[in-house]
Amino acid sequence: LAGGCCFDFNRVHEHLFIVGTEEGKIHKCSKAYSGQYLETYVGHHMAVYTIRWNPFHAGVFISCSADWTVKLWSHNVASPIMSFDLGNAVGDVTWSPYSSTVFAAVTSDGKVHIFDLAENKHEPLCEQKVVKRAKLTHVAFNERDPIVVVGDDRGGVNSLKLSPNLRKRHLPTDEDGNPIELVG
């Protein structure tokens, strides 16, 4: 058994939580069934550093790993829906509080990457080198203002203002393009 590196509880289905492991597997667990995993997701081949449920869609989560990738998952599918190779170990990933399709990731080469899946499903909308001699390890969006804060392995913290095109709000839609009403 590999050790756990990270976990996150589902905001809508409070009994569900996901755990990322040192070996790269992700386990969906329930507080009601402590003896076994509900699902095991295989997609990373190195340690999973961060895992987060999408705050707008209770069935979607994102993970990042030392294997240089960020992966998007549906909790009903055992393999990733999408994968993004960022070229260096990915220290942290987080969803935007403004949009269901925007997330940020930070890498060990000192870069922050901002993606908006509603605009481009293959490339980041923004990729910015923030530090030269440190590895970025954490990223967080401000809940109210268009600001991203990043932290590095030397204790440094940098705040970055998002450009106007990265502040758009996108709600999840169904197959016909109609907005999905969120439960919660």
Side-chain angles (χ1 to χ4, degrees):
L1 292 173
C5 295
C6 55
F7 67 94
D8 194 26
F9 282 93
N10 191 296
R11 293 181 185 175
V12 175
H13 309 291
E14 295 176 2
H15 64 286
L16 288 180
F17 63 100
I18 44 179
V19 178
T21 67
E22 292 174 337
E23 66 182 2
K25 291 183 181 173
I26 297 168
H27 302 293
K28 180 170 65 172
C29 306
S30 171
K31 292 190 281 187
Y33 305 105
S34 61
Q36 62 188 25
Y37 306 126
L38 299 177
E39 182 81 53
T40 296
Y41 305 94
V42 179
H44 292 293
H45 60 273
M46 294 178 78
V48 177
Y49 289 145
T50 303
I51 192 161
R52 298 198 198 275
W53 289 102
N54 187 310
F56 295 93
H57 194 295
V60 174
F61 63 92
I62 199 165
S63 62
C64 72
S65 172
D67 69 7
W68 297 11
T69 64
V70 170
K71 297 193 184 283
L72 183 67
W73 307 81
S74 166
H75 83 103
N76 293 323
V77 181
S79 58
I81 298 169
M82 299 180 82
S83 183
F84 307 91
D85 186 340
L86 300 187
N88 273 280
V90 186
D92 195 13
V93 65
T94 191
W95 290 103
S96 164
Y98 324 120
S99 171
S100 63
T101 60
V102 174
F103 66 88
V106 291
T107 51
S108 62
D109 62 347
K111 291 181 182 177
V112 61
H113 307 257
I114 309 283
F115 286 83
D116 185 346
L117 301 176
E119 297 293 325
N120 188 333
K121 291 179 175 63
H122 307 288
E123 300 289 328
L125 291 186
C126 175
E127 182 179 307
Q128 180 72 43
K129 184 134 177 111
V130 178
V131 293
K132 291 183 180 176
R133 293 182 182 90
K135 297 176 182 179
L136 291 181
T137 56
H138 293 288
V139 60
F141 282 91
N142 182 291
E143 293 289 327
R144 289 184 324 210
D145 298 315
I147 296 170
V148 175
V149 179
V150 295
D152 63 46
D153 65 347
R154 295 183 174 199
V157 177
N158 291 285
S159 62
L160 309 163
K161 186 175 180 181
L162 292 173
S163 65
N165 65 323
L166 297 174
R167 301 178 198 173
K168 297 177 184 172
R169 295 180 179 267
H170 299 288
L171 292 174
T173 58
D174 62 18
E175 290 127 13
D176 299 327
N178 300 315
I180 296 173
E181 189 168 325
L182 302 175
V183 179

